[in-house]
Amino acid sequence: MIVGAGAYVAGRGTSSYGTILPALNELYKKGLIHSITIAATHSKSIIDLKKKVAQLRSLTNSNIPIEGVPKQGQDSSSYKKALKASTYDCAILVVPDHLHYSIGADLIQSGLPTLIVKPLTPTVQEARKLIQYAKSQNIYTAVEFHKRYDSANLKLKEVISDGRLGDILYINVEYSQRRINPLKTFKNWIAHTNIFQYLGVHYVDIIYFVTGAKPLRVLAMGQKNLLKQHGIDNYDSIEVLIEWQHGKNKFVSTFLTNWIDPNTTSAMSDQKIKVIGTMGRYESDQKNRGVQLVTEQDGIEDINPYFTQSYPSMNEAGKTFKGYGIESVMQFCRDVADIQSGQVKVRDLENKRPTFKDALVSTAVVEAVNKSLKEKSVWVDVTM
């Protein structure tokens, strides 16, 4: 079951097909899943979804069976009714941040292994409750931190682990997106998130993933200019300092995040990370992957061929989808299947996957950042 039917699920409001649906379509073609139910809050979302599904089927030569609810009108409890009406092997939760806890709790307490898009929750208290629910059900739960599957970040983890960079001194992160997101795509729920919680959390997790360091304290500052002019009381940009500890070594990361880039910029996201150590440096521009497309229709586009892209298939009719976004979702489903078949146990995946327990680190940083912003940019200790 998928709860949510927006852009990341199926590309609603865009020319793409999202990431979740293409990933599950690849699993269907491989015979690893057999049917999907997608629960939205409004039947209009299901109508839009059906159009995307029809296009995806034609593009990939697939006949993936998908049922959407609600059938008519608006129903925020459609996922609850679907849970009562049928049985499922797992769930993927793709809804606004503030709904992660309440809906996630329902899914987990129904006994469903659950994948939640980042962040896990906005607060540590909610995250801990979800962890406890999953433990009581003995089910596998994870956060869809797809950047862990990006080769650029895996290489960073390797060069840190083997000591080539020496002791880490500082890490710089820049992350921004087009203004269409706060002004249009997320406008209905923007009061429940901010640019750091929505985007910066990805790189908090990456720093934790590649270094194994523990965040100690944060200081955050934000600006409200452009969005305020549009009647939206939220930050255009948020800058964050995080102090980390790894063994006896301490280092600082700086985050510069905004979501007011012009809509004419050449990619939806502009991402950079720089790691400086006593023995070397690692720099990764995760927008500029060396592939640029220029067309009359869309102008100049910097394409990331490694995230979620369609390609001609070498072995079958129709196109196939590949990328670390696809791999993240497929890995979760494969893990669930392996657990069900008895090949692995839930505890075997701790420290190997972005589990709920692993996501406590990024959740705690998000909570501390929000507190620092609320208290006018004071240092806040990170507590987990």
Side-chain angles (χ1 to χ4, degrees):
M1 169 189 279
I2 303 171
V3 182
Y8 198 65
V9 171
R12 185 182 180 191
T14 74
S15 59
S16 76
Y17 299 95
T19 291
I20 305 295
L21 188 58
L24 298 182
N25 188 58
E26 292 302 314
L27 288 171
Y28 173 76
K29 291 195 298 179
K30 291 175 171 60
L32 297 177
I33 63 172
H34 304 290
S35 64
I36 301 170
T37 295
I38 299 182
T41 57
H42 202 289
S43 58
K44 185 181 183 304
S45 298
I46 301 304
I47 293 172
D48 294 340
L49 172 71
K50 288 181 177 179
K51 294 177 183 177
K52 288 286 188 177
V53 170
Q55 295 168 359
L56 185 67
R57 285 171 174 166
S58 177
L59 182 71
T60 62
N61 193 37
S62 167
N63 194 31
I64 184 170
I66 294 179
E67 178 185 3
V69 292
K71 303 294 185 183
Q72 292 183 333
Q74 185 171 344
D75 185 359
S76 60
S77 65
S78 65
Y79 75 93
K80 294 182 180 180
K81 295 173 182 175
L83 284 173
K84 293 179 180 179
S86 187
T87 58
Y88 305 94
D89 292 310
C90 64
I92 301 176
L93 182 57
V94 197
V95 296
D97 304 353
H98 65 291
L99 299 175
H100 287 189
Y101 171 72
S102 59
I103 299 178
D106 288 338
L107 297 173
I108 294 165
Q109 291 177 321
S110 296
L112 288 181
T114 301
L115 179 69
I116 297 182
V117 296
K118 51 72 190 170
L120 172 55
T121 59
T123 70
V124 170
Q125 182 181 27
E126 290 177 337
R128 284 198 171 279
K129 287 182 179 179
L130 291 183
I131 291 170
Q132 187 57 45
Y133 297 153
K135 184 178 180 180
S136 66
Q137 294 281 346
N138 191 32
I139 56 174
Y140 173 52
T141 53
V143 178
E144 203 272 308
F145 279 128
H146 51 252
K147 292 189 182 301
R148 291 192 180 199
Y149 295 84
D150 187 344
S151 296
N153 295 326
L154 288 170
K155 178 55 67 174
L156 173 58
K157 181 177 176 63
E158 180 187 65
V159 299
I160 289 176
S161 298
D162 66 21
R164 274 183 276 175
L165 296 186
D167 291 331
I168 304 303
L169 298 175
Y170 63 88
I171 298 176
N172 290 340
V173 173
E174 291 187 51
Y175 200 166
S176 60
Q177 282 197 339
R178 292 172 180 163
R179 62 187 59 183
I180 191 173
N181 281 337
L183 291 178
K184 182 178 179 181
T185 308
F186 305 144
K187 191 172 183 179
N188 291 336
W189 58 279
I190 193 172
H192 301 285
T193 191
N194 59 53
I195 181 57
F196 186 84
Q197 180 173 304
Y198 159 66
L199 275 184
V201 66
H202 257 313
Y203 280 94
V204 175
D205 179 71
I206 282 301
I207 292 175
Y208 169 65
F209 175 62
V210 301
T211 67
K214 177 184 177 181
L216 300 177
R217 59 179 183 150
V218 309
L219 184 149
M221 295 166 281
Q223 294 79 36
K224 296 180 178 180
N225 295 306
L226 177 72
L227 296 182
K228 196 170 183 179
Q229 294 171 17
H230 288 266
I232 298 173
D233 185 21
N234 207 313
Y235 296 98
D236 295 352
S237 61
I238 296 174
E239 302 79 38
V240 176
L241 289 175
I242 307 174
E243 183 181 26
W244 301 77
Q245 180 144 20
H246 184 241
K248 296 181 179 179
N249 184 52
K250 288 184 179 181
F251 63 88
V252 173
S253 63
T254 62
F255 282 69
L256 307 176
T257 59
N258 86 72
W259 51 2
I260 60 159
D261 279 355
N263 291 328
T264 52
T265 190
S266 59
M268 176 59 78
S269 294
D270 196 337
Q271 311 169 39
K272 300 176 180 67
I273 183 169
K274 179 188 298 183
V275 182
I276 307 300
T278 56
M279 301 290 288
R281 68 166 61 210
Y282 186 96
E283 298 187 36
S284 175
D285 186 332
Q286 301 196 0
K287 167 189 169 182
N288 182 9
R289 300 299 181 108
V291 179
Q292 191 172 84
L293 175 65
V294 185
T295 63
E296 287 286 351
Q297 177 178 330
D298 297 312
I300 300 173
E301 299 175 83
D302 285 316
I303 294 180
N304 180 356
Y306 311 112
F307 175 48
T308 298
Q309 294 288 343
S310 61
Y311 296 92
S313 175
M314 304 298 288
N315 301 310
E316 56 192 24
K319 293 187 177 182
T320 186
F321 279 81
K322 298 180 181 179
Y324 57 85
I326 299 294
E327 179 58 29
S328 174
V329 179
M330 292 177 67
Q331 185 64 62
F332 170 77
C333 294
R334 288 194 294 261
D335 287 339
V336 170
D338 288 343
I339 291 170
Q340 290 177 343
S341 67
Q343 296 183 52
V344 300
K345 298 184 183 300
V346 174
R347 64 174 179 269
D348 296 335
L349 298 177
E350 286 294 347
N351 303 318
K352 294 181 180 179
R353 303 285 188 266
T355 62
F356 281 11
K357 184 179 179 181
D358 226 27
L360 262 181
V361 171
S362 55
T363 298
V365 170
V366 164
E367 184 176 61
V369 165
N370 289 337
K371 185 175 181 180
S372 180
L373 289 169
K374 186 177 181 180
E375 298 182 2
K376 298 182 179 179
S377 304
V378 298
W379 280 100
V380 174
D381 291 337
V382 178
T383 56
M384 287 178 275

